[in-house]
Amino acid sequence: MHSTLHFVPRRSDERGHADHGWLKTYHTFSFAMYQDPKHQQYGPLRVINEDRVSSLTGFGTHPHREFEIFSYIVSGELEHKDSMSNVEILTRGDVQLTSAGTGISHSEKNPNKDGIPVHFLQIWSMPSQSRLKPAYYTRHFTDEMKQDKWARVVAPVDDEGVNKQREGEGTPAPVHSGLTMYATMLSSGKMLEKELNRRKAYVHVIQTSSEENTQGAKVKLSDGAGEELILGEGDGAYVAVNCSSAKLFVENVSGEEGPTAEILLFDLDA
């Protein structure tokens, strides 16, 4: 049986990393001072930054244009303010998406006064068309919605089940890219499968247990035809899809009573 998928690991300790005191960040793709020609983007996926921001600090007002920008909140609080008059405090389970289009400015800060950092992933994708009108969306997904199943968190604006309302709990945020993002909280010993309908995919295991990646969940990727890869927290994997309707199998192999793995899966156009 021929392998339907091919995995290339993107190890956590090989990502770009910066510690600014108030900000600890890891870059999957080239970003800011970290530049690596081997890791520029994958399909429309351009940025995955895994950030931890200390309390009462954050990113001051800055501009963006021609990107689809979304934040996935793992823990803590993130205050968003932008030039479209949106002001919101995001918490665990929230997903905020800004279609920057012709241009917006925003700030992202941790408003918590008790010393609790905010841990979130900021993800950028390349839009499928330029000069879009800027737009803002928020969605909320409870842990139950993701527990041992895939939650469709972000999806192309014209896909079935996607609405263009500013808010919509449990429904995908609309993105103007050939990208669908799924999330799961996968218990130890559990396996999920997902049919991949595009040419590429990317998997990221969120670094929830340890900033140093010395503990935490272990996840096995397989295609059911002999191709396998083990990932730890903070690790990712480029996935090449070698046939139509290939299936990806994702299993938490952390051992008996091991930790839950929080995983993001991107189904991507080439």
Side-chain angles (χ1 to χ4, degrees):
M1 184 181 294
H2 296 292
S3 295
T4 59
L5 303 173
H6 177 62
F7 306 127
V8 176
R10 179 67 166 128
R11 297 298 179 191
S12 179
D13 59 4
E14 296 173 353
R15 293 183 291 176
H17 176 54
D19 187 343
H20 299 289
W22 64 274
L23 167 67
K24 295 181 180 179
T25 181
Y26 290 86
H27 306 311
T28 295
F29 301 103
S30 294
F31 190 87
M33 297 299 292
Y34 170 67
Q35 296 294 316
D36 185 336
K38 295 180 293 185
H39 303 286
Q40 293 288 343
Q41 70 181 75
Y42 196 56
L45 189 58
R46 177 60 186 85
V47 169
I48 302 177
N49 290 346
E50 188 158 8
D51 292 341
R52 287 176 173 82
V53 176
S54 299
S55 62
L56 301 178
T57 65
F59 304 95
T61 302
H62 56 282
H64 289 288
R65 63 192 303 269
E66 300 297 358
F67 278 108
E68 305 286 280
I69 301 169
F70 36 113
S71 297
Y72 179 99
I73 313 303
V74 181
S75 61
E77 299 175 315
L78 184 70
E79 182 183 64
H80 169 98
K81 294 182 180 180
D82 66 35
S83 54
M84 296 180 284
S85 300
N86 296 297
V87 179
E88 194 154 15
I89 294 179
L90 307 165
T91 59
R92 165 79 189 163
D94 286 338
V95 175
Q96 177 268 318
L97 191 151
T98 300
S99 181
T102 54
I104 58 100
S105 57
H106 70 175
S107 64
E108 297 156 304
K109 297 184 178 182
N110 180 352
N112 184 275
K113 299 178 181 179
D114 299 323
I116 300 173
V118 60
H119 177 193
F120 72 105
L121 279 80
Q122 185 166 115
I123 300 156
W124 299 7
S125 67
M126 306 294 293
S128 53
Q129 60 189 100
S130 62
R131 301 199 58 78
L132 292 164
K133 181 181 178 181
Y136 177 88
Y137 308 96
T138 60
R139 298 291 187 267
H140 182 75
F141 296 86
T142 65
D143 286 357
E144 184 180 8
M145 291 175 181
K146 297 179 281 189
Q147 190 66 53
D148 299 324
K149 55 192 171 188
W150 294 113
R152 190 168 56 134
V153 173
V154 174
V157 63
D158 294 326
D159 273 15
E160 184 178 354
V162 177
N163 73 66
K164 301 176 186 178
Q165 301 300 312
R166 184 186 186 278
E167 300 177 3
E169 180 166 343
T171 64
V175 67
H176 294 87
S177 301
L179 174 155
T180 302
M181 186 176 91
Y182 302 90
T184 186
M185 298 185 64
L186 192 60
S187 305
S188 186
K190 296 288 188 178
M191 177 189 286
L192 290 176
E193 65 178 70
K194 193 78 189 78
E195 185 175 289
L196 300 177
N197 296 309
R198 296 188 174 97
R199 298 293 301 280
K200 296 179 176 181
Y202 191 85
V203 178
H204 180 79
V205 183
I206 296 175
Q207 201 171 12
T208 53
S209 296
S210 168
E211 292 182 36
E212 304 302 326
N213 200 33
T214 57
Q215 59 183 353
K218 298 295 180 185
V219 172
K220 182 172 76 172
L221 308 182
S222 63
D223 69 347
E227 184 85 2
E228 295 184 349
L229 178 66
I230 301 293
L231 301 178
E233 289 190 359
D235 289 347
Y238 297 101
V239 183
V241 181
N242 298 326
C243 69
S244 61
S245 302
K247 286 188 178 180
L248 172 68
F249 298 89
V250 181
E251 182 180 6
N252 185 334
V253 292
S254 303
E256 189 174 352
E257 299 183 0
T260 294
E262 189 160 6
I263 305 163
L264 300 182
L265 167 62
F266 301 86
D267 195 3
L268 302 165
D269 282 347

